Amino acid sequence: GENVEQHPSTLSVQEGDSAVIKCTYSDSASNYFPWYKQELGKGPQLIIDIRSNVGEKKDQRIAVTLNKTAKHFSLHITETQPEDSAVYFCAASMGNTGGFKTIFGAGTRLFVKA
Amino acid sequence: GAVVSQHPSWVICKSGTSVKIECRSLDFQATTMFWYRQFPKQSLMLMATSNEGSKATYEQGVEKDKFLINHASLTLSTLTVTSAHPEDSSFYICSGGPGAFFGQGTRLTVV
């Protein structure tokens, strides 16, 4: 089955700096890669996603890149703010129509210091 | 985006009792929903896939008789933790819909 690895497990940056989180996946059939932000005591919130037919996607300060050949995908947060502090999860799925299970990475705890 | 509502947000129960957690899709019909379990400072682990009108599919190592899943309608899936024990204390989260949107989660504490 699918296995998703995520690094680093903890990331501390200064406010205004960029943060990068990297993930790899094992199943070449996966074609949908969402990223989630989870705050303490809450469910994961989808912040951005990318499909396998796209190499890069950007939404304001957040961008994701996908290298399907290498089975790598990354989350980039620019101009970080203290409110970006949370746990971020990458995930992989075989589709985004709702019928495919999502496998998560271990998570990255991001600390943004003011 | 799709809205998934989960209830209750937290519950405390005595050891040996059963607890039901509800997951509703508010603006879409879900033939499939997913149940996850999350221990403190850990990732989400898929427990089972809930299929409307048929039996749930459980991941390896998950006891189907302990974690009963019912998906009787296109908008409601329930997870019942039967004969709960302290080791069942965890954060349970459901998801469904396009883009795999998640409910708010239910923190279960068994005392």
Side-chain angles (χ1 to χ4, degrees), chain A residues 4 13 16-18 22 24 26 34 36 38 41 45 54 57 59 64 68 78 90 93 98 106 113:
Chain A
V4 178
V13 300
D17 289 349
S18 295
K22 298 183 178 182
T24 61
S26 61
Y36 296 89
Q38 186 178 30
Q45 177 189 8
V54 176
K57 183 177 178 180
D59 182 4
V64 290
K68 197 176 181 189
T78 59
C90 63
S93 175
K113 296 177 287 187

Side-chain angles (χ1 to χ4, degrees), chain A residues 32 34 36 38 40-46 49 87 89 95-107 109, chain B residues 31-34 36 38 41-46 49 59 91 93 95-105 107:
Chain A
Y32 176 64
Y36 296 89
Q38 186 178 30
L40 192 63
K42 298 183 180 179
Q45 177 189 8
L46 179 69
D49 55 13
V87 179
F89 291 99
N96 71 329
T97 57
F100 299 93
K101 59 185 178 183
T102 303
I103 304 301
F104 285 78
R109 191 169 297 274
Chain B
T31 55
T32 304
M33 299 189 84
F34 303 94
Y36 293 82
Q38 186 179 32
K41 297 185 178 181
Q42 293 190 22
S43 187
L44 287 80
M45 299 301 297
L46 181 65
T49 302
E59 296 299 304
F91 195 50
I93 314 170
S95 80
F101 288 89
F102 284 80
Q104 307 94 315
R107 181 159 304 284

